[in-house]
């Protein structure tokens, strides 16, 4: 991981704030966030952002790039818990529990806004709207995990993959990483396998089935949804609206 540098992106003119998905903030809230932010960090694809059982003094917001949250067993088996995109807060567990219970790794070269976690309490004390935003983020993460748990427990492999593709596309579209039902996929079939709880071979077969059914295409790391209605029906998919989500 590279060293934190003075921030290059002013919070007042942050490009993410121009996205309609993020709610606007009062001037005093933006001033606080500008002071709360200590710098920016750019990490290469594959680098660890936060480590399980780590007690880093920092937490982060993704400014640009993809990351994924994962947890491993002692024998190396890994479960991908979720994927993180611009606007997502990384390390909130550190601020509340003082220890991470999972690892976050960059999928692509990723730029992060860096914050001092020991100042989080001041948000709850002095900025109730921002405190609500952080609570919203935690609740949203729980909602996302609910969908993934249902997939692991009740959906077939084909349904799981259909659900995950729709979920990732919808999240990527809100921040400009996907459009016209096409998504540049920075994740490998191995990442999907670890997220879906099936073997890489089974993942490959399942992808092929979705393509044979004419529901998606996947070529040169680009996924295109060919029949959205049929894919949603297969996955029993319910979209998770992100209107006016907070951005710390």
């Amino acid at each position: 991981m590279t060293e934190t540098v003075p921030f290059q992106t002013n919070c007042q003119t942050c490009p993410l704030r121009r996205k309609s998905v993020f709610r606007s903030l009062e001037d005093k809230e933006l001033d606080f966030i500008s002071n709360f932010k200590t710098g920016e960090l750019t990490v290469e694809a594959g680098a660890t952002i936060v480590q399980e059982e780590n007690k880093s003094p920092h937490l982060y917001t993704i400014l640009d790039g993809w990351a994924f949250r994962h947890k491993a067993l002692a024998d190396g088996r890994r479960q991908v818990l979720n994927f993180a995109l611009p606007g997502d807060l990384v390390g909130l567990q550190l601020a509340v529990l003082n220890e991470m219970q999972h690892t976050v790794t960059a999928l692509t070269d990723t730029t992060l806004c860096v914050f001092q976690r020991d100042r989080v309490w001041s948000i709850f004390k002095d900025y109730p709207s921002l405190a609500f935003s952080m609570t919203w983020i935690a609740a949203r993460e729980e909602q996302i995990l609910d969908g993934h748990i249902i997939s692991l427990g009740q959906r077939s492999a084909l349904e799981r993959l259909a659900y995950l593709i729709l979920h990732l596309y919808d999240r990527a579209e809100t921040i400009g990483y996907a459009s016209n039902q096409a998504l540049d996929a920075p994740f490998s079939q191995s990442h999907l396998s670890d997220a879906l709880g099936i073997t890489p071979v089974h993942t490959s077969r399942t992808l092929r089935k979705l393509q044979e059914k004419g529901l998606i295409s996947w070529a040169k790391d680009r996924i295109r949804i060919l029949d959205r209605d049929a894919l949603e029906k297969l996955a029993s998919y319910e979209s998770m609206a992100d209107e006016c989500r907070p951005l710390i």
Side-chain angles (χ1 to χ4, degrees):
M1 187 178 292
T2 58
E3 185 178 353
T4 304
V5 299
F7 54 95
Q8 312 296 312
T9 306
N10 190 297
C11 294
Q12 304 283 347
T13 58
C14 174
L16 291 181
R17 298 196 181 279
R18 295 197 292 268
K19 306 292 183 183
S20 61
V21 70
F22 296 111
R23 76 170 179 86
S24 58
L25 296 177
E26 297 178 5
D27 289 342
K28 65 177 184 179
E29 292 175 325
L30 273 177
D31 288 342
F32 170 79
I33 291 173
S34 295
N35 292 320
F36 183 32
K37 179 178 175 180
T38 60
E40 290 178 11
L41 185 68
T42 299
V43 300
E44 297 179 348
T48 298
I49 298 172
V50 292
Q51 181 74 41
E52 184 176 351
E53 300 182 355
N54 183 272
K55 296 183 179 180
S56 166
H58 303 122
L59 62 154
Y60 311 92
T61 295
I62 296 180
L63 183 62
D64 182 62
W66 286 73
F68 69 106
R69 311 175 200 267
H70 56 99
K71 194 172 178 72
L73 298 177
D75 61 5
R77 284 177 292 169
R78 180 181 71 176
Q79 179 68 44
V80 171
L81 305 172
N82 196 9
F83 295 86
L85 288 154
D88 287 345
L89 191 60
V90 175
L92 185 57
Q93 282 186 357
L94 276 169
V96 178
L97 303 176
N98 292 318
E99 185 175 274
M100 288 296 294
Q101 297 299 312
H102 60 262
T103 298
V104 181
T105 300
L107 268 174
T108 63
D109 291 351
T110 301
T111 301
L112 305 143
C113 297
V114 183
F115 305 95
Q116 286 295 123
R117 70 180 177 93
D118 60 7
R119 293 190 62 197
V120 167
W121 175 243
S122 63
I123 296 177
F124 290 88
K125 185 174 66 173
D126 300 322
Y127 298 90
S129 293
L130 288 179
F132 179 83
S133 293
M134 295 190 73
T135 305
W136 187 99
I137 290 169
R140 168 65 168 159
E141 184 68 22
E142 182 180 15
Q143 182 187 33
I144 289 172
L145 290 174
D146 286 348
H148 294 328
I149 289 171
I150 290 172
S151 285
L152 291 172
Q154 300 300 325
R155 291 185 174 98
S156 68
L158 198 66
E159 293 166 342
R160 291 180 206 180
L161 183 55
Y163 179 91
L164 185 58
I165 288 172
L166 288 164
H167 169 77
L168 291 175
Y169 175 85
D170 284 352
R171 291 186 62 203
E173 185 184 40
T174 64
I175 47 87
Y177 278 13
S179 62
N180 299 318
Q181 302 303 315
L183 165 67
D184 288 329
F187 40 83
S188 67
Q189 289 189 27
S190 176
H191 292 111
L192 293 182
S193 173
D194 288 344
L196 298 171
I198 58 179
T199 66
V201 172
H202 196 177
T203 300
S204 180
R205 286 199 300 261
T206 305
L207 276 170
R208 190 163 56 249
K209 286 180 182 178
L210 285 181
Q211 294 182 87
E212 290 170 350
K213 288 177 177 290
L215 301 181
I216 68 163
S217 65
W218 189 337
K220 295 182 179 179
D221 299 325
R222 188 169 179 82
I223 299 173
R224 183 175 294 277
I225 297 172
L226 303 177
D227 190 336
R228 171 96 192 195
D229 290 342
L231 200 63
E232 287 188 1
K233 184 177 180 180
L234 172 64
S236 299
Y237 183 73
E238 294 181 359
S239 179
M240 297 181 185
D242 260 347
E243 289 86 355
C244 295
R245 60 170 291 189
L247 176 63
I248 298 297

